[in-house]
Amino acid sequence: MKRLFLFLFLLVSNNSRVEANIPNIEPSNYRTLINLFNEWRVFEKPPTLNGAPDYSKERFNRDYDEFLSFKNRLDKIEIQEWPVNYRIDWYVVKAELNGYDFNYKVLKPWERDPAFYQTVWMYESDVPAHEGPTNHGTLEFWSYQFPLDKENKEKIKTDLKVIPSFLDQAKINLTGNARDLWMAGIENFKQQSKDLRQIEEKISVHHPDEDLFKLLENAKHSTQKFTQWLEDELPNKRGPSGIGKENYTWYQKNVHLLPFSWEDEVRLLQRELDRAWSSLKLEEHRNRHLPKMASADTPKDFDILTEKSIDKMMKFLKNNDIMQIKSNMEPALRAHRGTFQAKEKRNFFSIGMHYDPLPLYSHFYHWFDLAQVRDEPHPSPIRRGPLLYNIFDSKNEGIATGVEEMFMHAGLYDDNPRSREIVWIMIAQRAARGLGSLYAHANEMTMEEAGKVHVKWTPREWMKREPHLLRFEQHLYLRQPGYGTCYITGKYLIEKIIANRSRQLEELGQPFKIKDFLTQFNDAGNIPIELVHWQITGEKPSGLIEP
């Protein structure tokens, strides 16, 4: 009997840490959490004011008591006896509620951040939702197929109608004093004007509709007026844009569920920056007798290079048992294969892509992930759609960045060692830009000064080529605390999951298989990375407090 008990104990404490082996019967009160989640998501979407989402101070103050009732109801749900899979869902909802509270009290994008009122989006995000604080009235032009059917024609009209009213509301709501956010937001609306002209050109070809053109004209006019208003108000904006170290730390620990303070992230990113630079120099020494990398400098050469790279990527993943290959993966990669750009127009990422697309194609793990979200909806309704406030960032950006190096170590560049140099350059760039964003949030640097860190510590001066990318990235990271660092913090925490799971399997005399790990990782859903750790290893992160 003792031997049987010992065997069962070891099975539960080791092998059955994997979620699939934990008893997974739905708790009787789990439906209470699902119902609360559904009500919460309805509440989180604001009512309309003059046809646009209402972000007025009066509305937030009026709704705050109802928000507190959600927190109280959540805390009363007893989850101590739930299987891990269901307890994780509770923490996801808790993180979203904390995100709303933080936005209400600290971040206040509707008051501090003009870019929050951008509505026109011409491209699909490569993560589950748009990066950064995003309003509820967006026009997702990339999602429309032309010529428009009747339903989508009416939908785009509705989307366009929102813009004038929304920008009128913005002039009332934007009472903040964050100079860098204000100044950078002006560029978003200059771009929105360009995007609306592009939409007009597209519609004129397929739908010369008088009502549509009138709505477009109103949207263009209101966007131009709003841009001018932002420029007129800029001299009065003199305040800091960062949220400060204490707020940053609270946000990371309570919304994104990361185990790091601001100071921890500085140390981690500095270490990764140093490691990337030193590794690059060792690669260069190792490759010193090899020919220099040659870039694809004609459209034909670029097409040949990308076709060869897609074929190589998919064969590598399959033949080396790296990932479970699904029918939707190669089409997802092909849809984002990149386009040729002349040398003088290449930014950081396209410079590398024209030498070898594979480092960036590794990062396009994103599109494999989104294909799974589309074609294999998660069984949990809480994990099925995009989580709010970008709390998926550590998982999604962490794995996309992490596999750049993992695939390299697994042999992706054994026949082309020079490409290993690109991997280290990309890691260094992500660490450098994240460090800059940390100092900007601490209000120790302006956004421009943070950008100088970004440029200075990116190898080979690849960030000096195109200032638009630099401005876009630092602006995003100032708008969304933690996004600038999540590529490196998420990568580190994924490496920690691999280490802990490998140790568990080694104790059982079982091999670690990257294919099995990535399957478990993907199937966990797009949730904070520490919750993925808990699901895969059964080891609960110390920072998570039970209700």
Side-chain angles (χ1 to χ4, degrees):
M1 190 68 180
K2 276 187 175 181
R3 288 181 180 178
L4 178 60
F5 177 82
L6 180 59
F7 171 77
L8 291 173
F9 173 78
L10 290 173
L11 187 66
V12 170
S13 62
N14 289 302
N15 196 37
S16 65
R17 288 172 184 170
V18 180
E19 180 63 22
N21 294 326
I22 297 174
N24 206 25
I25 300 170
E26 181 178 305
S28 59
N29 56 340
Y30 178 69
R31 288 290 114 186
T32 304
L33 177 64
I34 298 301
N35 292 338
L36 187 150
F37 172 75
N38 290 334
E39 292 175 39
W40 148 246
R41 283 301 191 88
V42 171
F43 166 83
E44 192 273 338
K45 185 177 181 180
T48 59
L49 177 65
N50 298 324
D54 183 0
Y55 294 101
S56 65
K57 189 173 185 178
E58 294 75 17
R59 196 275 294 180
F60 278 109
N61 291 342
R62 185 173 64 245
D63 286 352
Y64 194 67
D65 284 344
E66 186 177 353
F67 164 72
L68 291 177
S69 74
F70 281 105
K71 291 187 71 175
N72 292 333
R73 287 168 57 194
L74 184 68
D75 288 341
K76 288 178 181 177
I77 300 175
E78 295 184 0
I79 68 169
Q80 289 80 1
E81 303 303 319
W82 288 11
V84 168
N85 204 44
Y86 297 100
R87 290 161 74 190
I88 285 173
D89 281 355
W90 185 93
Y91 280 99
V92 169
V93 180
K94 181 72 170 178
E96 287 198 347
L97 292 172
N98 285 343
Y100 182 96
D101 209 17
F102 187 86
N103 278 8
Y104 174 77
K105 294 176 179 176
V106 179
L107 197 61
K108 300 180 180 180
W110 44 85
E111 290 185 12
R112 303 173 65 247
D113 179 9
F116 180 74
Y117 293 92
Q118 174 188 348
T119 50
V120 179
W121 291 88
M122 304 299 283
Y123 60 88
E124 180 183 10
S125 175
D126 62 2
V127 289
H130 286 300
E131 300 161 332
T134 306
N135 67 71
H136 292 76
T138 58
L139 190 167
E140 305 289 344
F141 189 69
W142 59 271
S143 68
Y144 287 99
Q145 297 294 320
F146 283 82
L148 300 169
D149 59 26
K150 183 177 180 181
E151 181 182 351
N152 279 298
K153 192 173 180 182
E154 292 305 310
K155 185 176 184 301
I156 201 169
K157 286 181 179 180
T158 301
D159 291 344
L160 287 167
K161 284 178 186 176
V162 168
I163 294 174
S165 174
F166 199 35
L167 296 183
D168 285 342
Q169 183 191 148
K171 293 177 185 178
I172 299 170
N173 296 346
L174 283 167
T175 58
N177 192 34
R179 179 173 177 81
D180 279 347
L181 288 177
W182 197 279
M183 183 163 50
I186 292 170
E187 299 303 316
N188 287 61
F189 284 93
K190 289 180 179 178
Q191 184 62 48
Q192 179 158 301
S193 288
K194 294 177 184 176
D195 293 340
L196 286 166
R197 288 195 293 271
Q198 186 178 338
I199 292 173
E200 186 176 44
E201 291 171 7
K202 184 86 170 181
I203 286 175
S204 66
V205 172
H206 295 282
H207 300 282
D209 181 298
E210 186 176 337
D211 289 342
L212 260 176
F213 285 138
K214 185 175 181 180
L215 290 170
L216 271 164
E217 195 60 38
N218 291 340
K220 288 192 300 179
H221 180 65
S222 60
T223 298
Q224 290 165 358
K225 282 179 59 180
F226 184 67
T227 307
Q228 186 61 56
W229 179 78
L230 291 175
E231 291 177 334
D232 292 343
E233 292 292 317
L234 178 61
N236 303 321
K237 306 300 176 181
R238 300 183 180 90
S241 294
I243 60 173
K245 296 178 185 178
E246 185 177 346
N247 283 327
Y248 185 95
T249 296
W250 190 94
Y251 185 74
Q252 290 294 75
K253 291 188 175 183
N254 293 279
V255 180
H256 291 243
L257 305 185
L258 295 178
F260 302 127
S261 65
W262 181 90
E263 290 81 3
D264 293 333
E265 292 198 358
V266 169
R267 286 190 290 270
L268 176 58
L269 268 72
Q270 185 63 59
R271 170 68 187 104
E272 195 72 354
L273 179 61
D274 295 341
R275 188 179 75 92
W277 267 85
S278 60
S279 297
L280 171 62
K281 294 302 137 182
L282 291 170
E283 292 287 353
E284 290 172 345
H285 178 79
R286 179 190 181 198
N287 299 333
R288 66 193 183 281
H289 299 305
L290 297 177
K292 297 288 186 183
M293 287 188 291
S295 63
D297 290 334
T298 68
K300 181 181 178 180
D301 287 343
F302 185 76
D303 285 344
I304 293 170
L305 178 63
T306 54
E307 184 61 33
K308 178 181 175 183
S309 299
I310 291 170
D311 184 61
K312 181 179 178 181
M313 170 66 79
M314 299 311 301
K315 286 180 178 176
F316 169 77
L317 296 176
K318 179 180 179 181
N319 296 342
N320 292 279
D321 276 340
I322 304 294
M323 292 185 70
Q324 177 187 354
I325 302 301
K326 302 175 183 179
S327 60
N328 57 15
M329 291 171 64
E330 184 170 336
L333 181 56
R334 285 188 174 280
H336 300 91
R337 61 187 293 163
T339 56
F340 174 77
Q341 291 184 356
K343 246 183 180 178
E344 65 275 9
K345 294 184 178 180
R346 294 172 195 168
N347 68 17
F348 172 82
F349 293 107
S350 56
I351 291 170
M353 179 174 268
H354 282 68
Y355 285 120
D356 185 350
L358 285 172
L360 199 56
Y361 285 175
S362 298
H363 195 85
F364 286 1
Y365 193 102
H366 278 314
W367 300 110
F368 297 158
D369 183 64
L370 292 183
Q372 177 167 337
V373 169
R374 181 192 65 221
D375 298 336
E376 303 171 57
H378 199 279
S380 165
I382 291 174
R383 305 190 207 185
R384 196 166 295 157
L387 301 185
L388 303 178
Y389 315 121
N390 286 185
I391 63 176
F392 50 74
D393 60 357
S394 58
K395 193 213 181 202
N396 292 86
E397 299 291 9
I399 191 62
T401 304
V403 296
E404 295 170 15
E405 186 175 344
M406 291 179 203
F407 292 170
M408 176 181 74
H409 291 319
L412 182 57
Y413 307 112
D414 284 357
D415 62 345
N416 188 15
R418 283 286 186 193
S419 293
R420 295 172 61 94
E421 298 170 19
I422 300 175
V423 174
W424 294 118
I425 292 169
M426 290 173 67
I427 293 173
Q429 189 257 10
R430 298 215 176 80
R433 70 188 185 184
L435 269 177
S437 76
L438 282 166
Y439 294 124
H441 268 298
N443 293 314
E444 295 179 1
M445 290 184 178
T446 63
M447 195 178 98
E448 182 180 358
E449 290 167 339
K452 290 179 180 178
V453 174
H454 188 164
V455 171
K456 177 181 178 180
W457 287 101
T458 296
R460 299 183 184 172
E461 298 189 343
W462 280 11
M463 277 305 303
K464 284 188 175 180
R465 297 284 298 278
E466 212 274 83
H468 175 75
L469 176 66
L470 176 68
R471 183 171 60 244
F472 167 81
E473 291 186 330
Q474 286 300 329
H475 183 207
L476 166 62
Y477 306 151
L478 195 55
R479 299 182 65 227
Q480 178 59 60
Y483 212 100
T485 59
C486 72
Y487 302 82
I488 300 300
T489 57
K491 173 181 177 292
Y492 164 73
L493 290 171
I494 291 166
E495 291 165 351
K496 188 175 181 180
I497 300 174
I498 293 174
N500 287 4
R501 185 59 192 148
S502 299
R503 174 185 52 78
Q504 291 176 348
L505 291 170
E506 189 171 289
E507 289 173 359
L508 295 166
Q510 298 177 10
F512 174 85
K513 297 179 180 178
I514 187 64
K515 183 177 181 179
D516 292 345
F517 169 76
L518 289 177
T519 298
Q520 293 167 2
F521 185 88
N522 295 340
D523 289 348
N526 296 309
I527 57 177
I529 194 65
E530 285 286 81
L531 298 182
V532 179
H533 188 137
W534 189 8
Q535 181 155 326
I536 290 178
T537 69
E539 297 173 350
K540 182 184 176 186
S542 58
L544 300 182
I545 301 172
E546 299 282 69

